[in-house]
Amino acid sequence: MRELLSELRAWYDAGTLFALATVVSVRGSAPRAPGAMMAVAADGAVAGSISGGCVEGAVYEMAGEVLATGRPQLQTYGISDDEAFGVGLTCGGTIEVFVRSFASAADRARLREAVDSIGRGEPVALATVLSGEAEPGACLVVRSQSTDGTLGDEGLDSAVTDDARGLLAQGTTGTLRYGAHGERRMQEVSVFVQTYAPPPRMLVFGAIDHAAATARMGSFLGYRVTVCDARPAFATRERFPTADEVICAWPHTYLQATDIDERTVICVLTHDPKFDVPLLVAALRTPAAYIGVMGSRRTHQDRAARLREAGVDAAELARLASPIGLDLGARTPEETAVSIAAEIIQHRWGGAGRPLCELTGAIHGRATGSSPSGD
């Protein structure tokens, strides 16, 4: 939905009716993960994408039907589905798409508040009934301390609220199943929970040319980027215009005072033991998803010895991606930033880091019923 914020706000302000199509499940190879959205306005305007072009035409027609009837629809498209194959889901996977309209004033107001929360970077989850013994399209907006709307049953609302907050904390999106009154380990009601957590953080230490390129790449990938360096002449906004924050402070002091979670990535590009060692001692004791350090293999050996002297154990050292990045033959700062980004993506999704032409099987085979949020 982040991709659609400006269009949805404009349609709200103009009083334009619209339908939202959402990918709620992916099996096998598919271009986009659960949570991908396309909006279709009553005047025919379209925003967003759910499959990179494979099934947009068919979903556009379905959205028109939903706008005309007011009844939500859940449709499966896949290589085994003759209709879906006809509209071109040639990647070989199967996706489920849920389409609903927002015609009532209550629904529109509820979604508008959620859109505004997402735009402000506030954590929010949208839980929508897909099928079963509850009204399809019923929606519950879940925040950390409040809810808005109902799925039609108090017990179901309570169970979904608890689980949605758990998914929100993890930054994941997916379909959950319950009994009609919220009983777990039952299958009567399918509920799609789409979470919108604040963007994950990328912390870049060392205000060098490679840091500027890495900060640009981090912003491109959707991270909230902070660049930190202890040298005032280097840690300037002019040198890092795409970063969200530029901090002049000793790296380990800043790291110890800032929030780090399981989605945070840390890139250490300083090349100086007096900065690197205390910073890495602190970083390795955080839950950060990725800690990469620039330097040659000789530098890494020296750094590892210093870290062991500082009390870092073998398991902690094993967390370091050092030297940082995948072997792409990079030479320039920009190419190095691509190498670093590639390793971060590989680490996040468990990819092989090899050319796809050398591999077999589904290209998007790791996509399942859930995906990290922030997209």
Side-chain angles (χ1 to χ4, degrees), residues 300-310 317:
H300 171 69
Q301 292 173 355
D302 176 72
R303 182 188 295 127
R306 292 172 184 267
L307 288 171
R308 282 192 289 268
E309 290 176 2
L317 279 176

Side-chain angles (χ1 to χ4, degrees), residues 150-369:
T150 180
L151 304 182
D153 179 87
E154 184 177 347
L156 183 60
D157 287 347
S158 178
V160 171
T161 295
D162 287 345
D163 292 343
R165 286 174 177 156
L167 291 178
L168 193 57
Q170 298 169 6
T172 56
T173 281
T175 299
L176 307 176
R177 292 174 175 82
Y178 303 89
H181 304 292
E183 302 91 339
R184 290 180 170 82
R185 297 185 296 277
M186 299 184 73
Q187 304 289 316
E188 283 81 1
V189 181
S190 294
V191 179
F192 182 66
V193 180
Q194 190 163 6
T195 65
Y196 299 91
R201 301 188 68 193
M202 172 184 281
L203 306 182
V204 181
F205 293 98
I208 62 175
D209 289 347
H210 288 82
T214 301
R216 291 195 297 272
M217 182 60 68
S219 296
F220 176 74
L221 292 177
Y223 287 92
R224 177 175 176 80
V225 178
T226 297
V227 176
C228 177
D229 195 294
R231 300 166 295 180
F234 291 87
T236 65
R237 169 58 63 186
E238 291 73 21
R239 299 188 70 233
F240 299 96
T242 64
D244 296 283
E245 296 178 300
V246 180
I247 304 295
C248 183
W250 277 79
H252 71 283
T253 302
Y254 171 74
L255 185 67
Q256 291 168 340
T258 195
D259 292 330
I260 307 296
D261 64 19
E262 293 81 359
R263 300 186 302 151
T264 303
V265 300
I266 298 173
C267 301
V268 180
L269 313 179
T270 47
H271 282 301
D272 189 332
K274 72 175 178 290
F275 294 122
D276 288 359
V277 172
L279 171 60
L280 290 173
V281 169
L284 288 168
R285 289 164 185 171
T286 71
Y290 169 90
I291 305 170
V293 195
M294 181 171 280
S296 67
R297 298 190 190 282
R298 179 179 297 178
T299 299
H300 171 69
Q301 292 173 355
D302 176 72
R303 182 188 295 127
R306 292 172 184 267
L307 288 171
R308 282 192 289 268
E309 290 176 2
V312 174
D313 62 30
E316 291 171 328
L317 279 176
R319 294 183 61 199
L320 290 181
S322 177
I324 195 170
L326 294 186
D327 179 14
L328 304 181
R331 294 292 185 270
T332 67
E334 289 74 20
E335 290 175 346
T336 301
V338 171
S339 165
I340 294 170
E343 185 173 54
I344 290 171
I345 294 168
Q346 179 203 28
H347 187 83
R348 179 177 183 179
W349 295 109
R354 294 171 53 198
L356 288 171
C357 63
E358 296 180 359
L359 304 176
T360 59
I363 293 174
H364 304 283
R366 299 181 191 279
T368 61

Side-chain angles (χ1 to χ4, degrees), residues 20 62 65-67 69-75 97-101 128-130 135-138:
L20 277 180
M62 185 165 62
E65 295 175 6
V66 169
L67 283 168
T69 64
R71 293 192 295 272
Q73 294 191 36
L74 179 65
Q75 180 66 49
V97 179
F98 185 75
V99 183
R100 65 153 301 176
S101 63
T128 305
V129 174
L130 301 181
E135 181 183 355

